[in-house]
RNA sequence: GCCCGAGUGGCGGAAUGGUAGACGCAGCGGAUUCAAAAUCCGCCGCCUUUGCAGGUGUGAGAGUUCGAGUCUCUCCUCGGGCACCA
């Protein structure tokens, strides 16, 4: 064997094994009732154009799990597809004059080719994109079934309108009052929209969260909060001088116990009564349109005053004789929560208190905090919302809040003006999008028949090929060729629905489609029954609410419409949310100057370096020469800057901050205080904190470059090694090099062991026997450590165990046969993480069959510890000594040894210990 | 404002209530080399000490315990989610 054959050429070896796996079709999965299935899925990517490090991390994790489960003997399903509808394709169409479809499929091709070198154990035969007519056609079938089942409906709704993307956004897609994609301030508009009746499942979605044992607590909590259940009562109030058609007012409250503290009532500006009153009152209609303008941004809400207009209508207090309170239209009341109307109890609700103070309304405390005298119950600027005793409340006086609630609800029920009602924060899911690149909603609007579902035999309703993106808005509206169709019911010329579905619909059932992507129905029940649920789902925490909640809804809806067996009510048995991939940022400041005077002939651009306390501007003349201007805390455009010696002056005309990619910056020097600088110009760069890789900050490392340079195994190993998977990981060059070194080390170790020749009688010496035992212990510990690590999603710990095992094996004096056994184990244990290297080692060890088919090893509990162990001895809880004992030594013997121990005797100083606590095999504590 | 979560060396991070700092990165010293890279060996929390050794140490303070990074309470800092939801 020549030296050359042993050089580890990652690229060559990785390609070789990928070809072998491919040829053997190892990752193809089929229904096999005799084997236990395991469905592992990573959230499928949006085909943006290139694979990024976040994908690498996500898919490596999934792959580790998939390969481990394969080795454990499961029938594993590990598919991949593309979440391919969405706005970037349309933006590309507008900017680059390329058809969204073409753009999308090109990106998919690129990304598929970029994923393949990673050596993922994916069943590519199941691949599809959500923009494939076959997929979205099946989605249209689902839609029609949901329409029939009453789970999809149309209603007039005030919607969040994104003026930049010219589309409607779901509440979930509005972040801090801005569109989640465009970042534009969202406006309110009234439109007829399609909705899914997710609210029908509010209670079930909430209750079932509890049963998701293998979901992160954090995600479960977020889901619960989002659904937001509250139990309260609806109370009917009589109105005085209300217009015809509005005899009374229904109000929702969670605090019926505070009804005696009511001093006003309020309705939302969108309340039907408010709108009616607006028709006859300029003041009211002006107020309503004012409210429309105020956005729901965080800032707007924070600063928005509580405002209202008095309707002059009086609300009769149902329990206090001859008492009535004013009815206001108030800006802080939401139409789509509860009944859109409230009663105000200023003493015990902060918003009501703010409002009451502004309009000088009565404030009557009705809850007295525990331990306070009645006289000391004063009203301040803070409403009291804690526990206490009822006061000023007639028959409720003296009761605590829960008892008062019970009594008042019963009382109101008897009077037939109140009933218990549960409210949810969760609203129905608006799915209409005024966009081209999405799944068309398969209905037709007929003048005589109304909304008519498309005939199923006409599905899929294909997106038209000809689209014009030259004007804003939905291109489908303008495409009359496509829009004009005959009504399926009466045959009259009608118009197609031009709304397409929210792309979250596409991703709400793709995991079911993977179980049989070629099925002529949305699902093949036999396959779905076998493969569902997803046993392990892995993805970013940013989908903790929307995507997961919608998918949970879809599973329920698909069960009702007979597309899924009941056991799939919860689609994801286990969920893991991984952290982001971060990197340092590098920036320079460029200062532009004019009118430079002095002895040097300066150009017009200067580099600056900012630190916490000061900014230094220096003009680079060459790599080593520069002119330094007087440092200051900050510089402003328009200032005149001078060098310290005053010889050069210049006017600062612009300051530009510029980000630089990692490859443009010098490596860390071997000294702490040596700053990083630009390779091109030598200009110093400011090193910023490690944040999520993003194009805008240019702190991106392209995975393809890394795989080219080091190989996929190195990238995979590093990704799994540094941080716990749920946390963010910082991508560092030195870390990657460390991973690469380790791969080389394992390879060299393989070589060394294989060419080793050992003498025959080498087992006789005690030293060798100890080595054998030590290696066996390390091997068993590695099996346990790696198995536990993978099972518990602590890949970093699995990696650490493999490092340890490698180090011990590399130094071991055990004979060759033992080392070979260890090497075999190591190849199997490393296989999920570094599949190519492991296969190569496996074949070098003389195995004919691929490593992938090898069974996962088991460890021997008896071989995890040496016979002779070190037992630490604590004195009053502090470690002071240790003794070496046999593993199965008795407590009596230990006690004897301890009392004889020099150190212990020194501390005991002739006295007897008060107590000796022995934790077998772990520790001894002597209490003095 | 409400609800979560997290604070451990220079850094990423280990630690069923039982030897704090596994493993990796960075750093330091040595071997090898004409030299460097690569590789190998050793050191590496802080303070005192030439050394032996001793003290101290997991954001701060208290508590439970034979024993606390881990459990309880209070506080501080950072991160995340929700946010006029009656």
């Amino acid at each position: 064997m020549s030296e050359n054959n042993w050089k580890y050429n990652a690229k060559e070896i990785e390609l070789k094994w990928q070809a072998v796996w491919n040829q053997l079709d190892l990752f193809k999965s089929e229904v096999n009732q005799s084997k236990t299935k395991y469905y592992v899925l990573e959230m499928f990517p949006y085909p943006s154009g290139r694979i990024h490090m976040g994908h690498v991390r996500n898919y490596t994790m999934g792959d580790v799990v998939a390969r481990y489960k394969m080795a454990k003997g499961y029938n594993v399903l590990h598919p991949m597809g593309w979440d391919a509808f969405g706005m970037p394709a349309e933006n590309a169409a507008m900017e680059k004059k390329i058809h969204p479809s073409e753009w999308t499929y090109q990106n998919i091709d690129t990304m598929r080719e970029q994923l393949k070198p990673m050596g993922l154990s994916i069943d590519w035969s199941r691949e599809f994109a959500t923009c494939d007519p076959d997929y979205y056609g099946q989605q249209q079938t689902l839609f029609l079934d949901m329409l029939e089942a009453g789970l999809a409906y149309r209603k007039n709704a005030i919607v969040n309108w994104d003026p930049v993307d010219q589309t409607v956004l779901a509440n979930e897609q509005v972040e801090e009052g801005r569109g989640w994609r465009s970042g534009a301030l969202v406006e309110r508009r009234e439109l007829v929209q399609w909705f899914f009746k997710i609210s029908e499942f509010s209670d079930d979605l909430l209750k079932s969260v509890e049963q998701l044992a293998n979901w992160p607590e954090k995600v479960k909590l977020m889901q619960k909060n989002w659904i937001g259940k509250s139990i309260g009562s609806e109370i009917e109030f009589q109105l005085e001088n209300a217009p015809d058609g509005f005899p009374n007012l229904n109000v929702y409250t969670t605090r019926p116990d505070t009804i005696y503290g009511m001093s006003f009532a309020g309705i939302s500006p969108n309340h039907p009564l408010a709108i009616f009153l607006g028709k006859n009152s300029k003041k009211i209609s002006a107020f309503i349109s004012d409210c429309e303008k105020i956005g729901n941004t965080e800032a707007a809400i924070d600063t928005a005053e509580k405002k209202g207009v008095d309707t002059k209508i009086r609300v009769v207090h149902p329990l206090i004789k001859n008492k009535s309170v004013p009815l206001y239209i108030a800006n802080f009341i939401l139409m789509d929560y509860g009944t859109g109307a409230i009663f105000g109890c200023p003493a015990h609700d902060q918003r009501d208190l703010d409002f009451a103070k502004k309009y000088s309304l009565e404030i009557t405390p009705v809850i007295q905090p525990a331990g306070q005298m009645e006289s000391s119950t004063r009203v301040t600027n803070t409403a009291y919302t804690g526990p206490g005793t009822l006061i000023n409340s007639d028959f409720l006086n003296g009761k605590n809040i829960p008892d008062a609630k019970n009594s008042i609800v019963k009382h109101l029920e008897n009077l037939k003006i109140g009933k218990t009602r549960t409210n949810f924060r969760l609203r129905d899911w608006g799915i209409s999008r005024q966009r081209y690149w999405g799944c068309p909603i398969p209905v037709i609007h007929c003048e005589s028949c109304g909304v008519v579902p498309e005939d199923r035999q006409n599905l899929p309703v294909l997106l038209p090929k000809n689209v014009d993106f030259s004007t804003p808005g939905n291109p489908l509206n303008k495409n009359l060729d496509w829009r004009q169709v005959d009504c399926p019911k009466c045959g009259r010329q009608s118009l197609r629905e031009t709304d397409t579905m929210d792309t979250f619909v596409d991703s709400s059932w793709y995991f079911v489609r993977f179980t049989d992507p070629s099925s002529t129905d949305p699902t093949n029940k036999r396959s779905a029954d076998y493969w569902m649920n997803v046993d392990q789902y892995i993805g970013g925490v940013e989908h903790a609410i929307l995507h997961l909640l919608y998918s949970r809804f879809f599973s329920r809806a698909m069960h009702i419409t007979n597309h899924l067996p009941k056991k799939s009510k919860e689609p994801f048995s286990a969920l893991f949310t991984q952290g982001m991939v971060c990197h340092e940022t590098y920036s320079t400041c460029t200062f532009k100057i004019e009118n430079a005077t002095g002895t040097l002939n300066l150009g017009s651009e200067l580099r600056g370096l900012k630190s916490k306390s000061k900014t230094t501007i220096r003009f680079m003349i060459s790599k080593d020469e520069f002119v330094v201007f007087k440092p200051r805390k900050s510089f402003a455009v328009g200032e005149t800057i001078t060098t310290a010696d005053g010889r050069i002056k210049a006017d600062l005309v612009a300051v530009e901050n510029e980000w630089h990619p990692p490859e443009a910056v010098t490596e860390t020097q071997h000294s702490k205080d040596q700053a990083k600088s630009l390779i091109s110009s030598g200009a110093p760069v400011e090193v910023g904190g490690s944040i999520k890789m993003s194009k805008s900050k240019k702190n991106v490392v392209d995975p393809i470059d890394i795989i080219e340079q080091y190989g996929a195994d190195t990238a995979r190993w590093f990704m799994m090694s540094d941080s716990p998977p749920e946390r963010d990981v910082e991508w560092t060059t030195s870390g990657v090099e460390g991973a690469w070194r380790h791969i080389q080390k394992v390879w060299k170790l393989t070589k060394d062991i294989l060419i080793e020749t050992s003498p025959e009688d080498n087992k006789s010496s005690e030293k060798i026997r100890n080595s054998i035992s030590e290696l066996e212990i390390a091997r068993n510990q590695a099996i346990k450590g790696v198995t536990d690590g993978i099972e518990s999603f602590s890949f970093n710990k699995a990696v650490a165990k493999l490092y340890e095992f490698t180090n011990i094996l590399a130094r071991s004096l055990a004979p060759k046969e033992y080392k070979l056994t260890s090497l075999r184990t190591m190849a199997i244990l490393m296989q999920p993480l570094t599949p190519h290297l492991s296969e190569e080692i496996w074949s070098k060890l003389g195995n004919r069959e691929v490593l992938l088919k090898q069974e996962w090893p088991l460890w021997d509990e008896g071989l995890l510890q040496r016979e002779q162990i070190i037992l630490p001895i604590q004195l009053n809880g502090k470690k002071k000594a240790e003794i070496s004992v046999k593993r199965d030594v008795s407590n009596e013997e230990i006690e004897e040894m301890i009392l004889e121990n020099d150190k212990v005797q020194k501390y005991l100083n002739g006295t007897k210990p008060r107590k000796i606590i022995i934790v077998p095999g772990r520790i001894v504590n002597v209490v003095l």
Side-chain angles (χ1 to χ4, degrees):
Chain A
M1 234 175 259
S2 77
E3 269 303 297
N4 255 358
N5 288 347
W6 281 105
K7 228 174 181 181
Y8 189 71
N9 182 334
K11 206 175 166 189
E12 204 173 276
I13 290 170
E14 289 181 356
L15 279 174
K16 178 176 93 185
W17 287 109
Q18 283 159 20
V20 170
W21 299 331
N22 221 9
Q23 208 185 347
L24 295 171
D25 224 356
L26 286 171
F27 308 127
K28 180 140 187 167
S29 38
E30 262 153 28
V31 171
N32 178 349
Q33 299 292 351
S34 66
K35 275 178 97 180
T36 312
K37 66 93 187 181
Y38 193 88
Y39 185 0
V40 57
L41 182 69
E42 300 96 66
M43 291 180 183
F44 67 162
Y46 177 78
S48 56
R50 288 188 77 79
I51 295 293
H52 56 69
M53 281 298 178
H55 293 130
V56 173
R57 195 173 194 209
N58 194 189
Y59 305 140
T60 302
M61 283 179 199
D63 203 46
V64 169
V65 173
R67 285 173 176 272
Y68 166 75
K69 290 289 178 181
M70 284 176 202
K72 276 285 200 182
Y74 288 88
N75 186 23
V76 171
L77 173 59
H78 187 208
M80 178 61 71
W82 311 95
D83 188 11
F85 273 134
M87 263 151 5
E90 284 188 47
N91 295 338
M94 285 180 258
E95 285 160 25
K96 297 174 192 157
K97 309 269 183 260
I98 179 173
H99 193 278
S101 163
E102 204 185 318
W103 183 84
T104 304
Y105 282 106
Q106 272 176 15
N107 285 349
I108 289 174
D109 287 344
T110 310
M111 289 173 77
R112 189 192 304 108
E113 287 319 299
Q114 290 185 335
L115 275 184
K116 290 202 166 162
M118 282 184 66
L120 302 171
S121 61
I122 285 168
D123 178 359
W124 285 102
S125 73
R126 292 173 186 264
E127 177 194 357
F128 62 80
T130 55
C131 63
D132 294 344
D134 180 54
Y135 181 81
Y136 73 74
Q138 298 298 344
Q139 188 164 300
Q140 289 168 342
T141 302
L142 289 180
F143 178 89
L144 293 183
D145 288 344
M146 286 166 78
L147 189 62
E148 265 173 36
L151 293 171
Y153 68 100
R154 235 159 82 94
K155 73 170 177 191
N156 215 335
I158 295 161
V159 294
N160 305 302
W161 178 259
D162 185 321
V164 169
D165 286 334
Q166 300 249 325
T167 190
V168 167
L169 300 175
N171 281 333
E172 289 87 331
Q173 292 163 348
V174 180
E175 290 163 359
E176 297 182 352
R178 288 169 185 276
W180 72 303
R181 267 205 129 109
S182 70
L185 278 174
V186 168
E187 295 167 4
R188 311 176 78 190
R189 278 202 188 181
E190 194 163 322
L191 278 181
V192 183
Q193 297 282 299
W194 284 97
F195 285 84
F196 279 147
K197 220 172 198 168
I198 189 167
S199 64
E200 181 141 329
F201 301 92
S202 297
D203 225 0
D204 184 28
L205 287 168
L206 183 70
K207 272 189 201 140
S208 306
V209 167
E210 299 298 343
Q211 284 142 40
L212 298 170
N214 294 309
W215 279 41
E217 282 306 319
K218 183 179 149 189
V219 174
K220 291 202 276 185
L221 195 72
M222 281 161 73
Q223 294 247 328
K224 280 192 238 174
N225 289 342
W226 191 264
I227 296 166
K229 183 176 182 170
S230 76
I231 299 164
S233 347
E234 195 171 312
I235 304 172
E236 187 183 310
F237 289 91
Q238 298 301 312
L239 297 178
E240 278 171 8
N241 42 333
D244 285 348
F246 296 94
N248 47 44
L249 184 71
N250 280 317
V251 154
Y252 176 75
T253 180
T254 53
R255 294 295 303 273
D257 52 306
T258 62
I259 194 163
Y260 284 95
M262 164 179 174
S263 65
F264 71 97
I267 55 175
S268 162
N270 305 109
H271 195 277
L273 176 56
I275 291 164
F276 183 89
L277 294 170
K279 283 178 190 157
N280 299 315
S281 158
K282 270 195 184 160
K283 195 177 159 196
I284 288 176
S285 65
F287 178 77
I288 293 173
S289 61
D290 255 15
C291 293
E292 299 279 300
K293 273 183 219 149
I294 294 173
N296 45 356
T297 65
E298 190 184 344
I301 289 164
D302 261 5
T303 55
E305 245 182 305
K306 304 275 175 285
K307 269 197 228 164
V309 279
D310 192 345
T311 59
K312 306 292 177 202
I313 296 171
R314 302 289 296 182
V315 179
V316 180
H317 198 290
L319 304 175
I320 304 174
K321 259 198 179 158
N322 299 326
K323 172 160 181 157
S324 70
V325 297
L327 176 68
Y328 281 81
I329 299 170
N331 63 350
F332 64 95
I333 303 167
L334 305 171
M335 189 56 220
D336 52 3
Y337 186 79
T339 59
I342 61 153
F343 80 71
C345 175
H348 306 294
D349 182 288
Q350 191 59 47
R351 291 156 304 178
D352 295 349
L353 181 63
D354 294 344
F355 191 82
K357 290 220 160 190
K358 183 167 168 91
Y359 294 100
S360 309
L361 300 167
E362 192 185 312
I363 300 167
T364 315
V366 288
I367 309 289
Q368 184 187 326
Q372 253 185 50
M373 301 300 287
E374 190 159 347
S375 58
S376 69
T377 305
R378 278 186 296 118
V379 174
T380 60
N381 282 326
T382 314
Y384 180 75
T385 54
T389 310
L390 273 284
I391 51 167
N392 301 329
S393 297
D394 194 9
F395 73 103
L396 298 175
N397 284 343
K399 291 185 194 289
N400 63 28
I401 293 173
D403 289 349
K405 274 186 184 171
N406 278 334
S407 305
I408 190 73
V409 167
K410 258 185 215 149
H411 189 68
L412 294 170
E413 272 170 7
N414 287 340
L415 294 173
K416 297 203 169 17
I417 56 166
K419 56 181 185 249
T420 302
R421 192 179 138 178
T422 305
N423 248 307
F424 292 92
R425 216 188 76 104
L426 183 67
R427 317 286 153 80
D428 278 342
W429 173 15
I431 59 155
S432 284
R433 296 292 178 274
Q434 291 67 44
R435 281 277 142 191
Y436 166 76
W437 194 232
C439 172
I441 294 176
V443 300
I444 288 149
H445 298 279
C446 168
E447 267 181 42
S448 45
C449 311
V451 176
V452 184
E454 175 63 282
D455 264 344
R456 284 168 192 262
Q457 60 190 25
N458 293 337
L459 297 187
V461 175
L462 293 171
L463 285 167
K465 288 252 159 70
N466 288 332
V467 270
D468 173 19
F469 288 101
S470 57
T471 48
N474 186 353
L476 291 176
N477 282 335
K478 294 168 274 179
N479 195 324
L480 284 180
D481 280 353
W482 180 81
R483 275 188 87 181
Q484 285 175 343
V485 280
D486 295 338
C487 168
K489 231 183 204 169
C490 69
R492 265 223 244 166
Q493 201 185 58
S494 310
L495 288 175
R496 274 194 194 288
E497 170 67 66
T498 56
D499 283 354
T500 51
M501 295 182 211
D502 179 4
T503 55
F504 274 107
V505 178
D506 312 336
S507 54
S508 292
W509 71 287
Y510 77 104
F511 42 88
V512 187
R513 186 69 187 166
F514 273 141
T515 64
D516 186 350
S518 59
S519 167
T520 49
D521 292 317
T523 64
N524 167 342
K525 278 211 230 121
R526 194 179 141 263
S527 308
D529 196 29
Y530 176 75
W531 290 115
M532 288 299 287
N533 306 331
V534 176
D535 294 281
Q536 182 66 60
Y537 197 35
I538 308 167
V541 75
E542 66 273 19
H543 292 115
I545 300 173
L546 315 183
H547 164 59
L548 293 171
L549 190 63
Y550 293 153
S551 297
R552 296 178 64 216
F553 159 69
F554 245 76
S555 291
R556 284 161 173 79
M558 284 173 78
H559 168 237
I560 286 171
T561 52
N562 210 19
H563 292 293
L564 260 187
K566 190 167 187 188
K567 70 163 190 177
S568 303
K569 199 173 102 174
E570 286 300 337
F572 312 119
S573 303
L575 172 72
F576 188 86
T577 52
Q578 101 258 7
M580 298 179 298
V581 184
C582 300
H583 197 284
E584 281 183 333
T585 51
Y586 308 107
S587 64
T588 53
C589 247
T590 304
F591 300 86
K592 295 206 167 159
I593 54 162
E594 276 172 7
N595 307 325
T597 59
T599 49
L600 277 169
N601 180 23
L602 296 179
S604 65
E605 280 206 354
L606 299 96
R607 298 280 177 198
L609 187 63
K610 280 186 190 166
S611 72
K612 268 166 224 150
S613 54
K614 63 183 182 182
T615 303
T616 309
I617 301 183
R618 51 172 126 192
F619 175 75
M620 308 297 298
I621 296 162
S622 70
K623 254 193 166 176
D624 310 307
E625 269 183 285
F626 43 80
V627 174
V628 182
F629 288 87
K630 246 189 196 164
R632 235 188 280 162
K633 197 157 191 184
S634 66
F635 291 95
V637 172
E639 280 187 75
T640 301
I641 55 173
T642 49
T643 51
D645 57 17
R647 283 198 297 167
I648 303 169
K649 281 187 183 167
D651 294 337
L652 196 58
V653 293
V655 181
E656 279 164 19
N657 206 45
E658 199 187 342
W659 301 98
H660 300 281
E663 63 270 16
V665 175
T666 53
E667 296 288 316
T668 319
Q669 305 297 308
H670 290 286
S671 151
K672 257 188 218 167
D673 28 69
Q674 198 152 2
K676 292 196 176 190
S677 55
L678 287 182
I679 293 168
S680 56
S681 64
V685 294
E686 192 191 350
V687 179
S690 190
I691 54 169
K692 184 187 178 180
M693 286 189 180
S694 78
K695 277 182 195 161
S696 64
K697 295 286 180 350
K698 290 200 181 160
N699 60 338
V700 181
V701 176
D702 193 323
I704 303 309
D705 295 345
I706 298 297
I707 292 174
E708 265 298 306
Q709 197 179 343
Y710 300 97
D713 283 344
T714 296
R716 295 169 61 120
W717 183 264
F718 173 66
M719 270 300 187
M720 296 297 103
S721 66
D722 237 28
S723 294
E726 67 277 12
R727 286 200 217 164
D728 292 351
V729 62
E730 189 187 352
W731 185 272
T732 60
T733 309
S734 53
V736 178
E737 272 163 4
W740 187 80
R741 272 202 297 274
H742 185 252
I743 287 188
Q744 297 297 324
K745 187 174 175 176
V746 172
W747 183 243
K748 189 171 169 287
L749 183 60
T750 307
K751 167 191 123 179
D752 290 346
I753 292 171
L754 279 172
I755 61 174
E756 192 177 299
T757 49
S758 45
E760 287 297 312
D761 61 339
N762 57 3
K763 279 177 231 169
S764 50
S765 93
E766 175 151 9
K767 206 172 165 191
I768 300 292
R769 280 204 308 275
N770 279 342
S771 278
I772 293 171
S773 138
E774 188 197 39
L775 188 58
E776 266 310 279
I777 287 162
R779 198 176 70 89
N780 278 280
Q781 282 182 340
I783 297 171
K784 180 171 164 48
V786 174
T787 306
D788 290 351
I790 294 176
E791 290 273 1
S792 67
F793 261 81
S794 311
F795 305 121
N796 55 324
K797 287 188 242 169
V799 166
K801 268 280 173 285
L802 285 165
Y803 270 118
E804 262 178 279
F805 186 29
T806 309
N807 290 340
I808 290 169
L809 179 57
R811 288 172 207 185
S812 179
L813 298 173
K816 181 172 179 175
E817 51 181 302
Y818 292 94
K819 289 187 180 175
L820 285 172
T821 303
S822 280
L823 207 50
R824 242 172 256 134
T825 304
M826 192 183 301
I828 302 173
L829 294 181
M830 285 181 73
Q831 190 267 126
L833 295 146
T834 56
H836 313 89
L837 171 71
S838 302
E839 282 283 8
E840 188 65 15
I841 292 171
W842 189 250
S843 82
K844 285 283 189 249
L845 288 172
N847 296 289
R848 289 281 179 84
E849 202 171 40
V850 286
L851 176 55
L852 260 172
K853 297 203 169 166
Q854 275 306 305
E855 233 177 275
W856 195 257
L858 300 170
W859 68 90
D860 182 338
E861 280 291 337
L863 288 174
L864 292 173
Q865 256 192 343
R866 290 159 184 265
E867 282 299 308
Q868 195 76 17
I869 57 169
I870 304 286
L871 206 57
I873 299 168
Q874 293 183 326
L875 289 150
N876 285 343
K878 297 237 173 207
K879 188 198 155 196
K880 295 289 178 189
E882 50 188 35
I883 52 172
S884 179
V885 295
K886 282 241 159 33
R887 197 163 62 183
D888 51 4
V889 67
S890 72
N891 284 3
E892 289 75 27
E893 284 173 84
I894 291 176
E895 219 164 291
E896 217 171 285
M897 288 173 77
I898 286 168
L899 294 175
E900 280 166 17
N901 185 283
D902 292 349
K903 278 246 170 106
V904 177
Q905 285 194 344
K906 189 181 123 199
Y907 280 94
L908 277 174
N909 209 5
T911 61
K912 267 195 177 173
R914 266 200 278 166
K915 209 172 174 186
I916 296 177
I917 292 145
I918 298 168
V919 185
R922 307 266 347 182
I923 206 162
V924 178
N925 192 12
V926 180
V927 187
L928 302 177

